[in-house]
Amino acid sequence: MFHTISTVVVILLVIGLAVRKNKKVHVPLMISAFSVDLVSVVAIEISRGAIQKAVTAPPPLLIFHVLVSVAALAFYRVMFFLGERVRSGATHLRPWHRRTAWVFGACRAANYVTSWMI
């Protein structure tokens, strides 16, 4: 079930990226992706005790997965902050929003791939 949810999040992110010039569609899609992803993380913790597993002698792949997952969640926050500033008229931040999106995308892609491996 969590893999399906993660796949939906990735699809939302890809569609959001594809329509990035249409702010009326881009912004709600990205906020939806973040919201679903955050709820999924909470659900994984509740149902699997993910934090406890990650703390007690985790294998290297799990450590990597946790690191890129936390980074992706942190970058969601940065992306939202920068996106809101750009939307409010701070167009000089658009290049930073775009650069951060690349790093976020790499973290989220690594999260998605490693979630299937652990």
Side-chain angles (χ1 to χ4, degrees):
M1 178 169 119
F2 292 119
H3 287 121
T4 303
I5 293 169
S6 187
T7 301
V8 168
V9 168
V10 169
I11 290 168
L12 287 173
L13 292 171
V14 169
I15 294 170
L17 176 64
V19 298
R20 68 186 173 273
K21 295 193 189 274
N22 183 347
K23 302 304 177 215
K24 290 182 180 180
V25 178
H26 173 76
V27 173
L29 276 174
M30 293 309 201
I31 291 172
S32 296
F34 172 66
S35 300
V36 171
D37 224 7
L38 191 57
V39 168
S40 176
V41 168
V42 171
I44 288 169
E45 171 54 29
I46 291 170
S47 68
R48 296 183 183 169
I51 293 173
Q52 185 61 33
K53 285 182 187 175
V55 175
T56 55
L61 182 61
L62 182 57
I63 293 170
F64 178 76
H65 176 74
V66 169
L67 289 174
V68 296
S69 299
V70 170
L73 290 173
F75 278 114
Y76 268 126
R77 186 173 175 170
V78 174
M79 292 298 296
F80 180 78
F81 172 78
L82 289 171
E84 284 300 304
R85 294 288 309 271
V86 169
R87 209 164 60 120
S88 298
T91 55
H92 67 283
L93 294 175
R94 182 170 279 121
W96 286 103
H97 184 66
R98 190 174 296 126
R99 289 178 194 125
T100 305
W102 280 101
V103 178
F104 161 76
C107 291
R108 189 59 181 87
N111 162 275
Y112 184 72
V113 170
T114 57
S115 73
W116 288 90
M117 299 168 68
I118 55 173

